[in-house]
Amino acid sequence: MRRDVQNLSRFYLVVVVLLFLAMLSRLAYLQLFSWNKYFAESERNRVRDVILDSPRGLVLDRHGEVLVDNSPMYSVSVVPYEFLKSDTTVTLLASILNGVPADMKQKIKREKISNFTPVRLKRQIGFRALSGLEELRRELPGVFYNVDSRRIYPSGVKAPHLFGYMGEITQQELAGLTENTYQSGDLIGKSGIELTYEKYLRGRKGVKYVEVDVLGREIRDLADLPGRLPDAGKNTYMTIDANIQRFLEKRMADLRGAAVVLDPRNGDVLAILSKPDYDPEIFSNPLTPEIWNSLINNDGGPLYSRSTQSLFPPGSTYKLVLAAAGLETGLLDIHEKITCTGSYRLGRRPFACWKKGGHGEVTLLTAIQGSCNVYFYKKSLDIGLANWSKFSRLFGFGEKTGIDLPNESPGLVPDKAYFDMKYGVRGWTRGLLLNLAVGQGDLLTTPLQMACFTMAIGNEGTAFRPRLVSRIEDAKTGRIVSLDKKTVQIDGVSAQSYQLMKEGMHMVVNAVGGTGRAARVDGADVCGKTGTAQNPHGDSHAWFIGFAPKDNPEIALCIFVENGGGGGAVAAPIAGGVLRLYFSEKKMPVTAPK
Amino acid sequence: MLATNSSGRQLDTGLFLIVLLLIAIGLVSIFSATYISESQVTQTKFTKQLLWAVLGLFLMLATTTTPLRFFYKRAYIFYALSLALLLLSLFIGSGAGTRRWISIGPVSIQSAEIAKVCTLIALARYLSWDNRNLGNLKEVALAFMLAIVPFMLIMKQPDLGSALVFLAMALPMMHWAGLSTVTLFVLLAPLVSLICAFNYYSFFLAILLISVVLFLSRRGVIFFLSNFIINIGVGIVTPIMWDMLKEYQQNRILTFMGLVQDPHGLGYQVIQSKVAIGSGGFWGKGFLDGTQTHLRFLPEQHTDFIFCVIGEEFGFVGGFLVILLFFYLIFRGFSIASTVKSRFASFLVFGGSIIFLFQIFVNIGMTIGIMPVTGLPLPFLSYGGSSLLSNMIIIGLFLSAHRRRFAYL
């Protein structure tokens, strides 16, 4: 027995030593060799990064009036670990927020960073939901609300196509980013200048480190980890003149159309609008399917910017291009007289002038003044398609102006290759050229292109890329950076030719018998050109382009009214209103509101 | 020696001091685990445990001064009473979804802890009989029954961890009593078959291994065949038994085997417990500075997961010290068991040491992720009066055995 016990005792002692060595080596492995990993994990457990959103930059007009501002709103966030523990919590919150539990779970799954990092579940909750949350707080572990901001438009300027809107970043957008600036659920500019100036407007997010317990409750701010305050987004000074913009929005409220007003001295866009539009604030609120459907199903196409995206033949305003082509190529003599009988016959096909009885005997200037079609029909045959296409391109048609808005259309300038392609090499006649000469047919332009063309004429060849933002202000330091204007020099048209074109345009507005007299402003020396583009589907489109004063112009514009009727009757008076406003404002300079 | 009484009987001072030290470490850890904030020092758990410890000290010293003969004589009475208590707790017991606790006024008693001590004494008495012959199958079966009955009753509560203690002490004690290693193997083999029965390949390997050992033992064809059939039978019955287990018990086993990934459930406990211990590093984060502990990332940190608090706040140094103290405790137990003259005392101390070894290894192993999560307290450290008192009584038996190590009962 004695010996047995000794042996057994030794055996068991070996077992004990082995077991204790197992524990010790495991302890050493955890605490000595894997300390880094586990310490980091315990820090992740207790430290939560609270992202501090940066207030988005303001958008102001050229005089400093705030066009786009921020307003607080409540959002609901949840801590996934705590929130998803019980289905009743999810169901309860869904009922408060009018949501579907399964959708909420899916959103959390998609967007969560960790089990303890809050996911923003819904933005902009109403007061009813907010009070519901407050009341049932105890039954909603892991749910809290915080203050976010949304865009508001205090100036009364709507211009949704200009400002654009914000939306939650999509998974594709997120995947395309190289920098780690955004997180799932963040808002990002989706269109308009919210999109083009996103990188200035967004600012830089801050971060706060807080200690949390297992329930995700914040225990305290961590003093040894100071975090970083957010930098507000930069304030963006637009070139827009809120008064002109507001005037036009009101004046064209019931019309379909577009207007672009430029400062020809630098390409500043003083006003740009497209009607019909919508209140941009609907994108600041939760977008319901009803609102969305009403936007996309509206025949007026309010989502679509007529000033930069939609394409129309520009009608008689485009006669100036042919005039320039004729003058520069020497194929047009300003003294040549042509008799307009109200119609022109090419082969067996008659081409009508808008004036039934005809203009009688006209020269270049009177043909511009009275917008005689026959004159330009005839001259187009002399000048030819090749020259017409060449000068159209010279003035920037058929390509984007480069304005700082997304999704601009380039328009279309047909040429021989285009027609050969469309109709076959022998499938088309010179009759198509006659249509192009008066700004009809396959030619397509945007109102913005027409305004830029007008600026080029007014400046006699020196144009500028249209721009919407001229200054960026750092809200913290107050430092303002001015953006350079971009010159677009048009080479190939002489000063004399411009002088003649301007003279003709001056007569359009000021001479007796001019088609654009409605745009006349005393003392402003307005030059312009009307256009009435025939439309096989309905009423004609009314156009007016113009600038003032004749020498060293300060304002250039294009007014377009879809199915509006005659350019002189419908578009020119609107232009007149803008010009009158501009020159009266100039006498009493607007002081920037503080 | 430090404490020598009139009759020259010595107190095992080392063992005594080590137990006191362990209890002190336990109190400190419980204080930290249940600490809320400086302004809110309502340390009711700490105070309670302190009271239990004082009571335990009296009980331990009382046991120390009681001759073991006292327990020998009443071994079966104690045993019967403890079984009655286990039965009683099945009827009037309480505890979240279980029937582990019997409430008497303001205190709750965990009947399994009392049964643990009583079964130890009963087994020690049964096995220490001079003419005990464990070559006799009937006697082996009877000894086994002594452990199986409380095991079954506790499984009914249900409390898997506490129940396993009874099996864990019974087999080595029988081994200690002279049960041949082959018999021990034969008894353990079905357990191996059971664990391996969930997979065809592992089961095949287990049966193969068992067959080889049985063959080499040269005990004849009948011995070989009967054992072979038993092990095959276990493999068939196990999946059926599995379905009868409670879901949480199944989950515990599955999570331990890495078959279930559930970071919010049991897996979560193991992850957070490893994070707590691992993040402690060499020196630990300091008393009351354990973030895992104080931000409540650890479940049941003052009871079953108390070792995490030590690991996190006192680091490797603290954990090493605790393990070292435990090692010394068991080492002392073994050396007392192999030196005492009384067979009864030898069994008592050896069995007690095995109980401690099992609980320590299973509990610490669970917190460091090498054993499954079974609700078993860490001796002397975990919060809980019944556990502390029963363990201190066992130490009292050790000390008593040591004092009378030259007596033949």
Side-chain angles (χ1 to χ4, degrees):
Chain A
M1 174 71 202
R2 222 44 238 167
R3 195 186 185 88
D4 255 22
V5 163
Q6 289 300 339
N7 283 341
L8 271 175
S9 176
R10 216 166 289 141
F11 168 76
Y12 276 97
L13 207 57
V14 169
V15 172
V16 171
V17 168
L18 288 178
L19 291 179
F20 273 72
L21 278 179
M23 286 193 286
L24 274 181
S25 54
R26 176 69 175 178
L27 196 67
Y29 168 76
L30 290 177
Q31 298 193 300
L32 306 182
F33 296 99
S34 313
W35 172 76
N36 280 336
K37 175 186 151 201
Y38 287 115
F39 186 73
E41 213 157 301
S42 80
E43 287 294 284
R44 260 203 302 287
N45 264 347
R46 80 176 177 121
V47 179
R48 184 198 291 158
D49 302 10
V50 176
I51 301 293
L52 305 171
D53 282 331
S54 49
R56 200 168 171 83
L58 304 183
V59 177
L60 305 99
D61 91 334
R62 63 190 299 117
H63 304 299
E65 180 176 351
V66 177
L67 301 180
V68 185
D69 202 346
N70 300 315
S71 152
M73 67 167 179
Y74 290 100
S75 294
V76 176
S77 298
V78 298
V79 176
Y81 172 75
E82 187 64 4
F83 179 64
L84 295 177
K85 259 188 185 166
S86 147
D87 273 344
T88 52
T89 316
V90 181
T91 317
L92 182 60
L93 186 64
S95 73
I96 294 173
L97 299 178
N98 284 327
V100 181
D103 292 353
M104 290 187 354
K105 280 187 186 170
Q106 202 165 3
K107 186 177 164 80
I108 294 168
K109 204 175 161 192
R110 206 172 51 228
E111 297 186 358
K112 80 170 180 185
I113 296 165
S114 82
N115 273 331
F116 297 99
T117 312
V119 171
R120 195 189 273 106
L121 209 53
K122 194 175 180 188
R123 283 175 197 280
Q124 175 115 56
I125 55 165
F127 274 101
R128 181 188 291 268
L130 190 64
S131 53
L133 285 181
E134 191 53 45
E135 210 171 293
L136 298 170
R137 208 168 182 166
R138 291 190 163 278
E139 279 107 284
L140 293 167
V143 178
F144 59 94
Y145 54 83
N146 44 337
V147 180
D148 273 341
S149 74
R150 66 189 184 106
R151 287 303 218 185
I152 53 163
Y153 304 86
S155 69
V157 172
K158 279 185 183 171
H161 309 101
L162 177 55
F163 300 138
Y165 57 88
M166 315 269 301
E168 282 194 12
I169 191 163
T170 63
Q171 295 302 307
Q172 289 106 296
E173 284 170 320
L174 211 52
L177 290 168
T178 47
E179 287 170 88
N180 194 14
T181 323
Y182 298 90
Q183 285 159 303
S184 198
D186 279 352
L187 291 179
I188 187 171
K190 295 280 184 182
S191 71
I193 65 158
E194 297 279 19
L195 170 58
T196 28
Y197 290 92
E198 169 70 22
K199 71 169 176 173
Y200 297 106
L201 290 168
R202 70 165 177 238
R204 195 171 75 144
K205 288 187 206 171
V207 66
K208 183 174 80 163
Y209 301 105
V210 295
E211 185 169 78
V212 293
D213 70 0
V214 67
L215 302 185
R217 286 180 302 215
E218 296 184 8
I219 303 295
R220 65 192 170 105
D221 286 4
L222 287 171
D224 43 342
L225 276 175
R228 190 183 69 231
L229 286 173
D231 294 337
K234 295 195 164 71
N235 294 333
T236 302
Y237 281 84
M238 299 196 76
T239 55
I240 295 293
D241 183 320
N243 292 326
I244 299 179
Q245 182 79 23
R246 261 191 299 259
F247 168 81
L248 273 168
E249 283 186 3
K250 199 173 161 200
R251 180 71 174 74
M252 295 179 72
D254 303 324
L255 300 173
R256 281 188 188 183
V260 179
V261 183
L262 301 176
D263 183 336
R265 293 167 295 190
N266 47 26
D268 282 3
V269 178
L270 299 175
I272 184 166
L273 68 145
S274 170
K275 288 283 176 182
D277 55 10
Y278 55 91
D279 187 339
E281 234 168 281
I282 63 176
F283 282 102
S284 304
N285 302 334
L287 194 60
T288 64
E290 293 78 51
I291 293 178
W292 179 244
N293 286 333
S294 76
L295 284 176
I296 57 171
N297 294 331
N298 187 322
D299 327 320
L303 288 173
Y304 184 65
S305 165
R306 283 171 166 73
S307 49
T308 59
Q309 287 178 288
S310 69
L311 297 163
F312 294 95
S316 302
T317 55
Y318 209 77
K319 286 171 180 167
L320 294 165
V321 174
L322 191 71
L327 289 167
E328 286 308 313
T329 53
L331 297 168
L332 189 151
D333 174 2
I334 59 158
H335 304 297
E336 184 187 357
K337 289 178 179 149
I338 286 172
T339 307
C340 169
T341 58
S343 175
Y344 177 76
R345 186 172 286 272
L346 181 71
R348 273 178 299 170
R349 193 174 153 203
F351 286 81
C353 187
W354 65 272
K355 199 168 181 178
K356 291 246 165 54
H359 287 86
E361 203 166 73
V362 289
T363 61
L364 174 64
L365 289 181
T366 51
I368 293 173
Q369 178 194 326
S371 200
C372 174
N373 286 3
V374 171
Y375 180 88
F376 287 96
Y377 288 149
K378 271 196 167 164
K379 292 318 293 178
S380 73
L381 295 174
D382 299 338
I383 295 163
L385 177 62
N387 282 325
W388 177 87
S389 300
K390 180 185 155 198
F391 278 85
S392 292
R393 295 243 159 75
L394 201 66
F395 284 114
F397 292 105
E399 61 186 72
K400 296 179 180 182
T401 65
I403 191 172
D404 37 1
L405 279 180
N407 304 322
E408 189 189 356
S409 296
L412 175 69
V413 174
D415 56 11
K416 185 169 177 300
Y418 170 84
F419 286 131
D420 284 350
M421 181 101 119
K422 185 171 177 187
Y423 300 109
V425 175
R426 291 173 192 287
W428 56 282
T429 64
R430 291 191 299 167
L432 292 174
L433 175 59
L434 268 57
N435 278 337
L436 296 177
V438 296
Q440 305 258 99
D442 287 6
L443 171 68
L444 296 172
T445 63
T446 64
L448 177 65
Q449 285 175 327
M450 294 311 294
C452 289
F453 172 56
T454 314
M455 164 168 64
I457 299 170
N459 286 345
E460 301 179 6
T462 309
F464 298 93
R465 182 192 284 179
R467 60 174 188 177
L468 287 164
V469 172
S470 58
R471 287 170 292 159
I472 305 278
E473 178 190 37
D474 189 317
K476 203 161 73 180
T477 60
R479 213 167 66 93
I480 293 182
V481 176
S482 292
L483 305 180
D484 289 337
K485 55 186 180 185
K486 288 248 163 46
T487 310
V488 182
Q489 191 63 44
I490 293 163
D491 295 316
V493 182
S494 66
Q496 289 106 303
S497 303
Y498 281 122
Q499 288 294 339
L500 283 165
M501 289 156 79
K502 285 169 88 167
E503 184 54 38
M505 290 172 80
H506 191 254
M507 287 157 65
V508 168
V509 177
N510 298 291
V512 177
T515 54
R517 285 181 62 85
R520 213 179 90 85
V521 178
D522 280 335
D525 236 2
V526 179
C527 301
K529 182 71 192 83
T530 59
T532 305
Q534 266 145 37
N535 168 15
H537 308 295
D539 289 339
S540 304
H541 303 313
W543 287 88
F544 182 86
I545 61 173
F547 58 86
K550 187 179 171 196
D551 298 316
N552 303 318
E554 297 167 15
I555 180 169
L557 49 73
C558 169
I559 307 289
F560 165 72
V561 182
E562 196 176 322
N563 307 123
V570 178
I574 299 173
V578 173
L579 293 167
R580 262 187 292 281
L581 176 68
Y582 175 81
F583 286 104
S584 68
E585 242 186 34
K586 213 184 130 191
K587 276 174 211 149
M588 294 183 294
V590 188
T591 46
K594 266 286 162 202
Chain B
M1 280 280 133
L2 277 173
T4 309
N5 70 5
S6 52
S7 54
R9 289 166 177 167
Q10 287 172 342
L11 180 70
D12 188 335
T13 329
L15 185 58
F16 180 75
L17 288 180
I18 271 176
V19 168
L20 290 192
L21 190 54
L22 281 168
I23 291 169
I25 293 173
L27 283 169
V28 167
S29 307
I30 289 163
F31 183 88
S32 179
T34 54
Y35 180 83
I36 296 166
S37 69
E38 275 173 60
S39 57
Q40 215 177 330
V41 195
T42 49
Q43 290 289 349
T44 54
K45 291 220 164 82
F46 170 78
T47 318
K48 261 183 164 177
Q49 186 76 356
L50 189 62
L51 289 174
W52 284 119
V54 171
L55 182 61
L57 195 62
F58 280 110
L59 275 178
M60 184 168 87
L61 290 174
T63 314
T64 308
T65 49
T66 308
L68 292 179
R69 208 178 316 117
F70 173 83
F71 298 103
Y72 183 84
K73 278 184 181 159
R74 295 162 184 81
Y76 296 135
I77 298 169
F78 285 151
Y79 179 71
L81 284 174
S82 74
L83 289 189
L85 207 58
L86 284 178
L87 263 175
L88 186 67
S89 83
L90 286 184
F91 293 105
I92 63 162
S94 62
T98 63
R99 285 162 297 187
R100 295 177 186 175
W101 305 88
I102 297 174
S103 300
I104 305 167
V107 290
S108 295
I109 292 170
Q110 203 176 357
S111 47
E113 289 293 341
I114 293 170
K116 183 173 86 180
V117 182
C118 296
T119 306
L120 171 68
I121 296 169
L123 263 172
R125 168 161 180 180
Y126 183 80
L127 293 170
S128 62
W129 184 47
D130 281 338
N131 297 324
R132 186 64 59 218
N133 173 16
L134 289 179
N136 181 341
L137 199 66
K138 208 181 98 188
E139 295 193 7
V140 173
L142 249 164
F144 212 54
M145 280 304 289
L146 283 174
I148 285 289
V149 172
F151 169 82
M152 298 292 262
L153 286 172
I154 295 166
M155 283 295 277
K156 267 305 240 198
Q157 290 185 351
D159 187 349
L160 178 67
S162 301
L164 284 173
V165 173
F166 291 81
L167 295 186
M169 79 168 112
L171 287 174
M173 282 176 82
M174 284 152 76
H175 196 199
W176 193 252
L179 186 71
S180 75
T181 310
V182 172
T183 316
L184 190 71
F185 176 81
V186 165
L187 285 172
L188 281 173
L191 191 71
V192 177
S193 306
L194 184 140
I195 292 166
C196 296
F198 292 92
N199 181 293
Y200 288 112
Y201 298 106
S202 63
F203 184 61
F204 175 77
L205 277 174
I207 291 293
L208 193 71
L209 189 79
I210 289 164
S211 305
V212 168
V213 176
L214 287 174
F215 179 76
L216 291 176
S217 72
R218 299 181 192 186
R219 294 276 180 103
V221 182
I222 296 171
F223 175 79
F224 179 91
L225 276 183
S226 57
N227 275 294
F228 183 78
I229 290 166
I230 286 171
N231 279 289
I232 296 278
V234 166
I236 295 167
V237 172
T238 301
I240 301 165
M241 289 284 285
W242 172 254
D243 292 334
M244 291 163 70
L245 279 180
K246 290 269 187 304
E247 202 184 318
Y248 81 95
Q249 292 168 329
Q250 289 185 354
N251 279 341
R252 281 183 174 184
I253 294 166
L254 288 176
T255 309
F256 170 65
M257 296 170 93
L259 298 172
V260 173
Q261 293 289 325
D262 175 17
H264 288 187
L266 292 166
Y268 173 82
Q269 291 184 352
V270 176
I271 291 167
Q272 293 300 350
S273 141
K274 282 197 285 182
V275 168
I277 293 171
S279 66
F282 189 76
W283 292 108
K285 295 177 184 169
F287 181 54
L288 299 182
D289 284 334
T291 57
Q292 290 282 106
T293 303
H294 292 286
L295 302 170
R296 306 273 175 272
F297 287 98
L298 289 171
E300 297 167 55
Q301 51 195 341
H302 59 288
T303 58
D304 294 352
F305 283 87
I306 194 77
F307 189 71
C308 296
V309 180
I310 296 162
E312 187 181 23
E313 301 199 340
F314 305 108
F316 184 70
V317 174
F320 188 86
L321 177 70
V322 167
I323 290 177
L324 212 62
L325 292 177
F326 276 135
F327 179 78
Y328 183 74
L329 187 144
I330 289 165
F331 175 78
R332 277 307 300 154
F334 282 179
S335 60
I336 294 171
S338 49
T339 51
V340 284
K341 292 250 178 335
S342 152
R343 278 175 60 84
F344 175 65
S346 174
F347 279 105
L348 261 187
V349 178
F350 177 74
S353 303
I354 292 294
I355 290 174
F356 290 141
L357 175 66
F358 180 77
Q359 288 198 207
I360 291 163
F361 187 72
V362 169
N363 181 286
I364 294 183
M366 153 184 100
T367 63
I368 57 182
I370 57 174
M371 289 299 281
V373 178
T374 38
L376 202 55
L378 187 58
F380 311 111
L381 295 169
S382 286
Y383 173 78
S386 305
S387 157
L388 184 64
L389 293 190
S390 67
N391 291 329
M392 289 179 86
I393 288 170
I394 292 173
I395 292 296
L397 294 174
F398 282 26
L399 294 173
S400 174
H402 179 260
R403 285 182 78 207
R404 298 169 182 82
R405 60 192 175 281
F406 304 118
Y408 290 93
L409 200 75

